[in-house]
Amino acid sequence: MPNTSNSPQEKTPAPAIRAYLGGSFDPVHNGHLEVAMSVYQHLLPIATRLQRTLHVSLLPNARSPFKTQSTDPSHRLNMLKLATENTPIQINELELWQAPPVYTIDSIHTLRQQYPDDSLIFIMGMDSAHSLDKWKDGLRLTDHVNLWVFNRQSSTDVSDGISEKFSDSIISSENNTATTQDIATLQSQLPLSLQPHITDSPIELLVPPTQYSTDRLNSNSTDPTSTDLKSPDLKNANQGRIYIDSRPITAVSSTQIREQLQKLDDQTNKIPVAQRQIASIASINDIISNTESNPLAKWLNPAVYQYIIAHQLYSAAQFR
């Protein structure tokens, strides 16, 4: 006879796993997708084994107040949709339409309120993690979420916790291992107050708050008024873990891509009008065939590149 129990516990789905990669994505490039897909592929077998839903999302930020020529959010969103088509990577528009500045800590508060029982993971590079003490309430990020930190080998300007996180990196296929000393060196780059939260396993990023609270309540604790049980903060519940992914990654800058696009635009403008369309088609074909003649072929999705050309983005024409 089949089990027809209406127990609420049996109907309640397991808490989801939600990982977010933030950035301006101006433009989105293959490096962003490589990082997001790496996290997805790493977590998928674990999520499957635990029977938990996995969501890995790109979190585009609002127009940066520090950029005088920031691309319109609607264009960045359209390019993100093209880049993530036929992939499991999702797009979260939480920050995109807000008036800047939008701070990471505020977005985390919102996400924690939306998903109180889920495991939340923010993905960032070591350069950003190293500078969290300079962000707005950056050292309190782990009160609410876990961090997945990649060994990003180059640095960018430090933001003030404004959502500009980890925007320009790709995982290297070479030197894919790290020694104990390498890992210790990476760990030492974090602010001192965060170092006790480092874990050597991404599985520890997946303990949902409700599960941990239940475990604590069922433990042999002799102090029922313990702060660990009363506080909703993840850190106080032994959460807010930090996993350092020691695989080295090579950075590619969206700024460099924009500069390269502008250079190509300048070169195209020097061509007689009758030949410009042919030149544009040739450069698109370079991207599609991934040829060495166009350095952007390594970094841009062909559909994204066609969108950039069609809308004259990152060119002098954009700002006329």
Side-chain angles (χ1 to χ4, degrees):
M1 182 175 180
N3 185 351
T4 57
S5 171
N6 292 321
S7 168
Q9 288 186 339
E10 294 181 4
K11 284 189 171 183
T12 303
I17 302 167
R18 301 179 185 274
Y20 300 91
L21 172 61
S24 60
F25 304 110
D26 193 13
V28 59
H29 54 67
N30 294 341
H32 301 130
L33 272 296
E34 289 281 349
V35 170
M37 281 300 302
S38 175
V39 172
Y40 181 89
Q41 291 167 352
H42 200 131
L43 291 179
L44 183 60
I46 302 174
T48 301
R49 186 168 68 250
L50 298 176
Q51 297 184 322
R52 298 175 63 184
T53 304
L54 173 63
H55 305 273
V56 177
S57 303
L58 302 180
L59 185 68
N61 58 27
R63 185 189 298 269
S64 172
F66 303 114
K67 296 180 180 178
T68 58
Q69 297 180 338
S70 180
T71 305
D72 188 274
S74 61
H75 283 314
R76 290 190 284 128
L77 178 60
N78 289 337
M79 289 188 285
L80 283 168
K81 290 178 178 178
L82 291 171
T84 56
E85 189 174 6
N86 300 319
T87 78
I89 305 304
Q90 303 172 18
I91 303 168
N92 186 300
E93 300 179 30
L94 170 65
E95 298 181 351
L96 188 61
W97 307 108
Q98 297 184 51
V102 179
Y103 293 97
T104 302
I105 190 67
D106 296 330
S107 298
I108 284 177
H109 286 160
T110 299
L111 290 169
R112 178 50 69 195
Q113 289 174 353
Q114 290 179 348
Y115 309 112
D117 297 327
D118 292 353
S119 298
L120 302 186
I121 302 170
F122 262 56
I123 307 164
M124 63 177 59
M126 179 56 75
D127 54 332
S128 294
H130 174 72
S131 305
L132 283 176
D133 57 346
K134 298 179 176 62
W135 290 24
K136 178 186 176 183
D137 293 334
L139 298 180
R140 294 193 60 85
L141 296 186
T142 51
D143 287 1
H144 310 282
V145 298
N146 300 292
L147 303 181
W148 187 309
V149 180
F150 276 92
N151 176 21
R152 186 179 181 189
Q153 295 177 318
S154 71
S155 61
T156 57
D157 292 338
V158 175
S159 71
D160 186 26
I162 295 172
S163 295
E164 291 272 353
K165 307 167 287 298
F166 200 92
S167 56
D168 306 310
S169 303
I170 186 168
I171 297 173
S172 173
S173 59
E174 301 178 357
N175 301 321
N176 218 20
T177 59
T179 66
T180 302
Q181 183 176 359
D182 291 334
I183 295 174
T185 300
L186 291 173
Q187 293 176 349
S188 68
Q189 294 178 29
L190 288 176
L192 285 175
S193 63
L194 296 181
Q195 292 182 23
H197 303 289
I198 293 172
T199 176
D200 59 2
S201 172
I203 294 178
E204 289 198 30
L205 307 184
L206 309 183
V207 179
T210 51
Q211 177 181 328
Y212 189 82
S213 297
T214 300
D215 292 344
R216 290 286 294 167
L217 289 169
N218 291 336
S219 70
N220 294 325
S221 173
T222 58
D223 182 8
T225 63
S226 168
T227 303
D228 286 350
L229 297 178
K230 295 169 64 178
S231 173
D233 285 353
L234 292 186
K235 187 182 296 182
N236 291 332
N238 197 26
Q239 291 267 329
R241 309 305 293 170
I242 301 173
Y243 172 64
I244 297 179
D245 195 324
S246 59
R247 291 173 296 174
I249 55 177
T250 304
V252 54
S253 168
S254 290
T255 300
Q256 292 173 334
I257 289 178
R258 291 194 299 271
E259 290 173 351
Q260 185 65 36
L261 285 164
Q262 291 171 0
K263 185 182 300 183
L264 289 175
D265 180 67
D266 290 340
Q267 294 172 354
T268 302
N269 286 335
K270 295 177 182 178
I271 300 175
V273 175
Q275 300 178 22
R276 288 184 188 177
Q277 185 175 5
I278 297 175
S280 295
I281 293 173
S283 59
I284 292 174
N285 288 337
D286 287 341
I287 295 289
I288 294 174
S289 59
N290 196 25
T291 64
E292 293 299 325
S293 60
N294 191 330
L296 297 171
K298 182 179 180 181
W299 301 115
L300 287 179
N301 178 294
V304 171
Y305 189 54
Q306 291 184 53
Y307 185 93
I308 289 171
I309 291 178
H311 294 272
Q312 295 184 308
L313 302 182
Y314 314 115
S315 65
Q318 180 184 6
F319 307 112
R320 286 172 185 161

